Amino acid sequence: MKKKVELVIRGGLVVTMDEQGTVFNPGSVAVSRGKIVCVGDEDEVLSQVDGTREISARGCAVMPGLVNVHTHAAMTCFRGLADDLPLMMWLTEHIFPAEKKINGDIVYKGTLLACAEMILGETTTFADMYLFADQVAKAAKEAKMRALIGEVIYDFPSPNYGSPEKGIQFTKALIDEWKGDDLISVAVEPHAVYTCSPQLLKECERIVEQFQVPLVIHLSENEEEIKQVNKKYGKTPVQHLDGLGLLGSKLLGVHCVVLTEKDMECLEKNDVKVAHNPESNMKLASGVSPVPDLLKRGITVGLGTDGCASNNDLDMWGEMDTCAKLHKVFLLDPTVMPAQKVVRMATIEGAKAIGMADRIGSLHEGKRADIIIVDLKKPHLTPMYQVYSHLVYSASAHDVKTSIINGEVVMSDRKLLTLDKEKVMESVKEIARNVIRPE
Ligand SMILES: [Zn+2]
């Protein structure tokens, strides 16, 4: 007697992204109640289950949804506002003044636009840091995307919550509000070492301990940060955090571009996770994170796009391509960052980096059904000798066909099902026209 399931994806090239790199061709995936119930060769899966709904994936790759480990989703509102400027001028003269104008409604609408872009690009999970994080959660939930959200906390008053102490309270309330939610998880998110006092950072760590949630911080992004932190504390940002007792397996260090040998040892010893954002680091001329070295040490590194003002998109396919090539040219070594490793960074390693590997990141029985289908029947994807090569070097967001999050189809044949794309775009155009526009 076959088991009745809600959905069967059949006949595709199933790239599981498990530890052994298992691929089934033709393979099938069965989904029920938001979870993967069976993955394997098509014949075998079909002998066990009977799907109420079937999706044919002939000529397509079926893989886990992409995990974007670092975004400021609502910064879609600032896309293309100011480019090609030195970091400090870009920040102080353009981004900060624009951010002063934002409110909860703008963050909500900007995040909806980000979700529309991400789902159409087959990202199924994003880890966000921004103001008005309650609105980020609301938008992600409406788009039916999986998200790790967190309110950015720093020493100065925030337009959302006011004083830093209130930021801590706001974070606690968010953790409480979203506890046990299927899609939304909450992290504690101090902005950076140079914008948060040691006391504030320690307070953040206390909440992490109390609630066992991830801790996310921008870390060692560029030389300027190293200089500032060294002047203030006589240490590198990583060693400053070590001294405060903040390095641990729950910590996600975003960027980690400028690292000393000792910094890398500290990250390794404490099982700190790293979010790598190659395009943002390139655009802001921050430098090149020593990712091949970090990976050699066994450090978990996930891939992210960073915010739209410094990238300027949320496209994980472009990010994978850039990641693979940047390290090759930087080290003058074409063997570093092979394609399969990069796809891992965008899926299972990303899931590990944000503490979700038990739920997502690979196609495995019992995990949540976050699954994407990539159409390989395209001139630029023909012929195919090796699927990882195509995923990194040839495919783009436009090749993605269907996206499933938590067992629910959120995009089908490139049609976004959870949001009204036109309406979402119109609302952000209006914000750009009436609120953000330079004086
Ligand atoms: Zn960032």
Side-chain angles (χ1 to χ4, degrees), residues 70-72 129 218 254-255 306-307:
H70 186 60
T71 60
H72 308 280
M129 176 193 276
H218 291 112
V254 176
H255 297 306
D306 208 353

Side-chain angles (χ1 to χ4, degrees), residues 155-408:
D155 288 335
F156 24 93
S158 145
N160 180 21
Y161 51 76
S163 68
E165 303 80 66
K166 288 205 176 130
I168 297 280
Q169 284 165 21
F170 192 84
T171 297
K172 281 187 186 169
L174 278 178
I175 293 172
D176 196 46
E177 185 183 346
W178 294 101
K179 197 164 52 191
D181 192 82
D182 250 1
L183 291 174
I184 309 296
S185 311
V186 180
V188 182
E189 307 205 353
H191 175 260
V193 167
Y194 58 95
T195 44
C196 296
S197 70
Q199 293 81 341
L200 186 58
L201 291 171
K202 278 187 169 168
E203 189 55 39
C204 288
E205 172 65 14
R206 268 192 285 277
I207 315 178
V208 169
E209 276 302 310
Q210 188 183 347
F211 297 98
Q212 290 296 305
V213 292
L215 176 66
V216 181
I217 189 168
H218 291 112
L219 188 62
S220 296
E221 182 170 359
N222 61 15
E223 291 290 351
E224 181 58 32
E225 173 181 343
I226 305 296
K227 237 188 273 170
Q228 279 187 27
V229 174
N230 188 46
K231 202 169 150 199
K232 225 168 166 179
Y233 304 109
K235 288 178 181 173
T236 67
V238 170
Q239 283 156 45
H240 177 58
L241 287 186
D242 195 20
L244 294 172
L246 261 76
L247 297 189
S249 62
K250 291 241 174 310
L251 178 64
L252 177 67
V254 176
H255 297 306
C256 294
V257 169
V258 188
L259 298 173
T260 64
E261 189 65 24
K262 194 174 161 200
D263 287 344
M264 288 194 265
E265 277 168 25
C266 280
L267 295 178
E268 181 186 345
K269 202 171 70 200
N270 291 287
D271 192 21
V272 173
K273 316 294 192 285
V274 171
H276 179 39
N277 311 281
E279 289 191 2
S280 167
N281 297 156
M282 289 165 76
K283 187 158 181 279
L284 293 172
S286 301
V288 180
S289 170
V291 171
D293 203 348
L294 299 176
L295 292 176
K296 226 181 274 168
R297 292 165 187 268
I299 295 170
T300 300
V301 183
L303 197 61
T305 57
D306 208 353
C308 258
S310 60
N311 187 308
N312 292 357
D313 56 42
L314 301 164
D315 176 11
M316 287 289 286
W317 300 88
E319 210 68 36
M320 283 197 275
D321 189 25
T322 302
C323 175
K325 290 170 181 167
L326 170 66
H327 296 283
K328 291 178 193 344
V329 72
F330 184 64
L331 296 172
L332 297 178
D333 180 357
T335 68
V336 297
M337 303 304 285
Q340 189 170 352
K341 202 173 256 187
V342 176
V343 179
R344 283 185 63 84
M345 282 170 62
T347 54
I348 184 65
E349 298 300 318
K352 287 181 194 169
I354 58 171
M356 290 193 191
D358 58 331
R359 274 169 284 166
I360 57 164
S362 61
L363 301 182
H364 195 276
E365 198 184 307
K367 282 198 180 184
R368 309 305 306 182
D370 289 9
I371 305 165
I372 61 174
I373 302 177
V374 185
D375 190 357
L376 300 169
K377 303 181 293 296
K378 300 276 183 81
H380 66 280
L381 299 173
T382 304
M384 190 179 75
Y385 301 104
Q386 215 257 45
V387 67
Y388 301 107
S389 166
H390 273 15
L391 294 175
V392 173
Y393 299 118
S394 308
S396 77
H398 307 288
D399 301 321
V400 296
K401 211 176 144 189
T402 301
S403 186
I404 296 159
I405 302 176
N406 214 40
E408 186 165 343

Side-chain angles (χ1 to χ4, degrees), residues 38-55:
C38 192
V39 188
D41 287 318
E42 186 178 23
D43 295 348
E44 206 179 313
V45 172
L46 294 183
S47 71
Q48 293 173 35
V49 298
D50 193 8
T52 309
R53 179 177 177 188
E54 279 194 358
I55 295 177

Side-chain angles (χ1 to χ4, degrees), residues 74-199:
M75 288 183 93
T76 47
C77 294
F78 309 143
R79 193 194 317 263
L81 175 67
D83 303 306
D84 315 323
L85 294 168
L87 175 65
M88 281 305 156
M89 189 192 285
W90 173 77
L91 259 180
T92 56
E93 292 178 25
H94 300 275
I95 298 304
F96 287 161
E99 280 191 332
K100 273 197 193 124
K101 299 174 183 170
I102 64 163
N103 55 36
D105 185 55
I106 291 177
V107 169
Y108 167 69
K109 287 170 178 164
T111 306
L112 281 182
L113 180 63
C115 290
E117 180 184 353
M118 287 192 277
I119 291 174
L120 287 168
E122 300 227 58
T123 292
T124 52
T125 299
F126 67 105
D128 201 68
M129 176 193 276
Y130 214 54
L131 297 157
F132 302 96
D134 53 327
Q135 298 299 316
V136 177
K138 185 181 155 195
K141 190 81 182 165
E142 199 174 314
K144 299 192 176 174
M145 277 196 84
R146 194 178 303 285
L148 175 70
I149 59 118
E151 182 75 16
V152 63
I153 303 173
Y154 34 53
D155 288 335
F156 24 93
S158 145
N160 180 21
Y161 51 76
S163 68
E165 303 80 66
K166 288 205 176 130
I168 297 280
Q169 284 165 21
F170 192 84
T171 297
K172 281 187 186 169
L174 278 178
I175 293 172
D176 196 46
E177 185 183 346
W178 294 101
K179 197 164 52 191
D181 192 82
D182 250 1
L183 291 174
I184 309 296
S185 311
V186 180
V188 182
E189 307 205 353
H191 175 260
V193 167
Y194 58 95
T195 44
C196 296
S197 70
Q199 293 81 341

